[in-house]
Amino acid sequence: MACPPEVLLRFALRGKFVLRTRPITQLKPTSTVHYQAQRTYRAAQCQELGKPLVLARLPSQELQSGQVRIKVCAAGVNFGDLLMIQGAYQEKPPLPFVAGSELAGEVLDIGDDVTNFRKGDRVVGLTFNLGAFAEEAVCNQYELWHIPKSIDYVTAASLPCSYGTAWLGLTRRAKVREGETVLVTAAAGAVGLAAVDLASHVLGAKVIGAAGGPEKCQLLEKRGAFATIDYKTESIRDKTKEVTDGEGANVIFESVGGDTFKQCLRSIAWEGRIMVIGFAGGEVPKIPANILLVKNVSAIGFYWGQHALKDNAAYRKSVEDVFKLCDQGKISPHIGKVWTLDQVNEAFLSVKDRKSTGKVVVKMD
């Protein structure tokens, strides 16, 4: 049920509960007034773009058909979340909104027509209605997956977006084959480390990880990269040629853009594939078609989230696959740091300032 901003503000000011009564005109002189406390929860709300999130207390929503109410235990921080609260994302929800789309927790209630979940189920979700950075969230049942018993909530909240992206990109779009060399940029980030993990430990590829600074490069070696490139001191092209005996990388998993993309394109092998994941560096590069022509190179665009609309079966299966791989012990997400809901703005700053490695997670309790 929709709730205007001014009503939410009144709820926040009143504290932990509000009182519901019938209008005075409906009361009989001898009647007894019964008060019903409405459940509320804390949430990190974006009230002004570009400003810190505000912790507010909001009323529980009424469930509609097909919806599931979840006690959120952990929520994953994604770069898209940061862009959204800055007003720089392609989708701009109306203010105020509760940030976050990736969550893990326990089912509290289910609406009519919900058949796949029941109270007490452990679930992970990617919700298009946002609301993950909160103690409670409402999702549509098709936005949820069951969590295997072996996986805790913090780990579960770190898997769907980053690992789902890397898995579908590497297998469906780039079609990585065993023994191929895969160069991953921004490799110490959540999606980058997921690509390193999956390519090296599941697909049998030889991974080169590119990141900024010796500490991040050391992390990449521990996580499965056979070689690393320090952006700050080394040339991507020279180092890639060096470690591949002049051949170059067969597949490039590229999410930085700008000059990094240009260097990667000149580091690619004959009939190689360069996959565009995003532009974390802020600059959208232009692709010189002559390089594609001379080396018989394929440039591949990849937007994982769009598969939810265009090919939902592939989208859902990518998440199911990575949970299965994690349950089997073949992959393990690197969780850089876990913050509390009270520290949600610090969690976002760590991503913004590129001080984090791997996945950043906000835990609700």
Side-chain angles (χ1 to χ4, degrees):
M1 183 173 65
C3 189
E6 64 270 20
V7 177
L8 296 182
L9 180 58
R10 289 203 297 270
F11 286 145
L13 293 174
R14 289 179 185 180
K16 294 186 177 180
F17 62 90
V18 294
L19 303 180
R20 283 184 170 175
T21 66
R22 288 176 291 160
I24 293 176
T25 54
Q26 296 179 12
L27 298 178
K28 297 179 180 180
T30 57
S31 65
T32 301
V33 179
H34 295 281
Y35 296 95
Q36 179 183 357
Q38 180 176 348
R39 186 168 58 199
T40 65
Y41 61 92
R42 291 196 311 150
Q45 197 177 57
C46 179
Q47 298 181 353
E48 186 177 352
L49 296 177
K51 300 293 183 181
L53 298 174
V54 176
L55 288 183
R57 186 164 286 279
L58 307 180
S60 294
Q61 302 175 45
E62 293 183 10
L63 290 182
Q64 304 298 318
S65 179
Q67 290 185 329
V68 178
R69 190 190 319 281
I70 299 164
K71 175 189 174 183
V72 182
C73 297
V77 179
N78 296 298
F79 191 71
D81 299 326
L82 176 62
L83 294 178
M84 192 169 289
I85 65 177
Q86 291 176 333
Y89 199 64
Q90 56 261 38
E91 298 170 12
K92 294 177 173 58
L95 295 170
F97 63 87
V98 178
S101 59
E102 186 176 35
L103 57 86
E106 179 184 336
V107 173
L108 292 174
D109 300 297
I110 58 173
D112 296 336
D113 300 329
V114 173
T115 56
N116 298 330
F117 303 95
R118 60 185 180 181
K119 292 181 183 180
D121 280 355
R122 300 169 70 248
V123 295
V124 65
L126 286 166
T127 170
F128 290 99
N129 293 325
L130 306 179
F133 297 111
E135 294 171 336
E136 185 177 297
V138 171
C139 299
N140 293 302
Q141 63 174 333
Y142 58 79
E143 299 173 324
L144 301 172
W145 293 260
H146 289 280
I147 300 174
K149 292 180 180 179
S150 65
I151 301 175
D152 61 78
Y153 286 126
V154 170
T155 302
S158 68
L159 279 168
C161 191
S162 56
Y163 273 78
T165 297
W167 182 244
L168 198 62
L170 291 169
T171 57
R172 181 187 174 101
R173 299 294 287 145
K175 295 180 171 59
V176 174
R177 298 184 290 269
E178 185 177 359
E180 287 191 312
T181 299
V182 178
L183 169 60
V184 180
T185 63
V191 177
L193 271 176
V196 171
D197 194 5
L198 289 163
S200 59
H201 297 132
V202 180
L203 299 176
K206 296 180 291 184
V207 178
I208 305 170
E215 291 182 359
K216 290 182 177 180
C217 287
Q218 289 172 12
L219 173 63
L220 295 176
E221 291 176 353
K222 292 178 181 177
R223 302 296 297 179
F226 90 97
T228 62
I229 302 170
D230 185 345
Y231 290 134
K232 296 181 179 180
T233 60
E234 297 175 304
S235 160
I236 293 176
R237 181 182 183 181
D238 293 346
K239 188 64 180 287
T240 301
K241 294 289 186 180
E242 176 189 327
V243 300
T244 60
D245 295 325
E247 294 296 321
N250 304 109
V251 174
I252 301 179
F253 190 95
E254 214 294 282
S255 57
V256 178
D259 185 62
T260 297
F261 178 90
K262 295 174 186 176
Q263 290 187 55
C264 286
L265 196 55
R266 288 167 171 78
S267 309
I268 200 165
W270 166 261
E271 292 191 333
R273 291 91 76 198
I274 184 165
M275 187 164 57
V276 180
I277 309 298
F279 315 105
E283 181 187 340
V284 179
K286 293 181 179 180
I287 301 176
N290 63 309
I291 296 180
L292 304 185
L293 175 69
V294 172
K295 286 192 172 184
N296 281 259
V297 168
S298 298
I300 303 167
F302 178 56
Y303 178 16
W304 177 68
Q306 193 69 6
H307 286 77
L309 302 175
K310 300 293 186 180
D311 191 342
N312 190 257
Y315 170 79
R316 288 196 61 83
K317 188 175 184 300
S318 68
V319 176
E320 292 165 3
D321 285 349
V322 296
F323 270 91
K324 201 172 292 183
L325 290 168
C326 188
D327 189 35
Q328 294 169 350
K330 294 180 180 179
I331 57 172
S332 60
H334 173 74
I335 299 163
K337 187 163 183 177
V338 178
W339 304 82
T340 65
L341 185 58
D342 291 319
Q343 300 170 316
V344 66
N345 287 307
E346 296 168 70
F348 272 99
L349 277 175
S350 71
V351 175
K352 180 183 177 183
D353 296 339
R354 300 185 182 182
K355 294 180 178 178
S356 61
T357 56
K359 193 73 175 186
V360 174
V361 178
V362 173
K363 196 174 180 182
M364 301 307 146
D365 51 22

